[in-house]
Amino acid sequence: MLLIPCPFCGEREEIEFSYGGEAGVAYPADPSALTDEEWAGWLFVRGNPKGRFAERWVHTQGCRRWFSLLRDTVTHEIVR
Amino acid sequence: MSGEHPDFLWRSPEPESSYEVVIVGGGGHGLATAYYLAREHGITDIAVLERGWLAGGNITRNTTIIRSNYLWDESAAIYEHSLKLWEGLEQELGYDLLFSQRGVLNLAHSLHDVREGARRVNANRLNGIDAEWLEPDAVARVCPIVNLSPELRYPVLGATFQPRGGIARHENLAWGYARAADALGVDLIQGCEVTGIELERGRAVAVQTTRGRIAAGRIGLVAAGHSSVLAGLAGLRLPVQSHPLQALVSELYEQVLDTVVMSNAVHVYVSQAHKGELVMGAGIDAYNSYAQRGSFHVIEHQLAAALELFPIFAHARVLRTWAGIVDVCPDASPIVGLTPVEGLFVNCGWGTGGFKATPGSGWTFAWTIANGEPHELNAPFALDRFTSGALIDEHGAAGVAH
């Protein structure tokens, strides 16, 4: 089980959290200007690196706030 | 198979500098693809490149469940094609797969489950797939050890049943395909990691590997959890995410379970191997990972569900837990076919349910590589469905339980 450092509550067990996938994926500024390919890319395609990954978590069973982590997908080390 | 088992099932040749087809990934689907390319299409100048050892990934990390009772027509067609191949495969490969059609139960625990189950049975029957709806008393006849008490937090209200579903011994499937492919002239090359894909005017022409450059007329990527990494070498981004999927076996247990029981609602699926181990799995770990291990609370959760459904398992002891890295698509359906890069084909996204599909996946992918176009069975699973919007949403039939 991961021990996840909630920036608001401190380190808590993974079961208190829900996963939100890749961090830093902004909603397109002008969605109607996108081609179908670009829209599909925003909607369905996310980074899936083997190594460090910036990702979103929410402290569902705690403060219910969202935050980002940098975690290694090979070692599971939480870098920050 | 009669007589003694041979010491070696395949040669281990040095890689040539060039092949007509290079398959990247020596797991079940890659080996099946190579076999059907050679057997069905007469292409034998093939190398299967495997980073580790043959059948060291998901093909030997799954819970071996085989079924074809998917909801949508597209899925039903490809999984049923696969099941039909399974039914003749031991004879075709001349190799014992311990294929056992002991039936698969999918339990319903709520009114919604019951309605969805009935809908799925009807959909399956319209597609010519054996499916039955069982009321609780009929569930008890198929599987007497399921706890049918109405006192359960999630009581068993019925089940779908596919009698032709079952299990097989997963490593034998890989070895059977490997041996047959090798006999047809396919080079199976282990310890050979692909580190680059060479493009020439938009066409894939070769792979760089830890054992040198290998030119290829066509390249098929069949790397499951590592598909994103490989596709990235050709500049492609795939709509897949890699997650751990854990499973476990118990110590040898007396034979108490002669069918496969799955429950989406309480999150467990279980069968009993021929030797006696209880084999169980559940859902994926939530986070992205390439670590081939997951978090213990997932195991704890699935065992709690298993004990509630099967009180008799209280005496069993966990022998081993492990994980495979599964590549999951947004619609829980695979990606099989062409890519925007000419000469480069991809077969991935089988997620949590690829084992049952191994023969059908290899068969249709081989057809596509040989003919350079989609086969009618895999055309709906093309990469461009994410652009067209024609998704095949199988979360109901595939999302948790496999």
Side-chain angles (χ1 to χ4, degrees), chain B residues 19-45:
Chain B
Y19 289 92
E20 190 173 345
V21 177
V22 164
I23 301 296
V24 185
H29 291 228
L31 293 167
T33 303
Y35 167 74
Y36 289 114
L37 272 168
R39 160 86 197 244
E40 302 283 327
H41 305 283
I43 299 173
T44 56
D45 184 25

Side-chain angles (χ1 to χ4, degrees), chain B residues 197-199 202-205 231 234-236 338-345:
Chain B
I197 296 174
E198 255 178 60
L199 305 182
R203 186 184 170 85
V205 293
L236 293 176
L338 282 62
T339 72
V341 177
E342 205 185 331
L344 186 69
F345 301 81

Side-chain angles (χ1 to χ4, degrees), chain A residues 36-53:
Chain A
D36 286 354
E37 286 76 14
E38 288 166 340
W39 178 249
W42 178 77
L43 197 57
F44 296 121
V45 182
R46 292 292 180 272
N48 189 25
K50 186 179 184 179
R52 291 187 174 188
F53 188 44

Side-chain angles (χ1 to χ4, degrees), chain B residues 216-247:
Chain B
R218 277 155 286 177
I219 300 169
L221 305 180
V222 199
H226 278 74
S227 295
S228 296
V229 176
L230 276 172
L233 298 176
L236 293 176
R237 276 164 63 86
L238 297 175
V240 297
Q241 298 277 288
S242 298
H243 292 271
L245 177 61
Q246 300 189 67

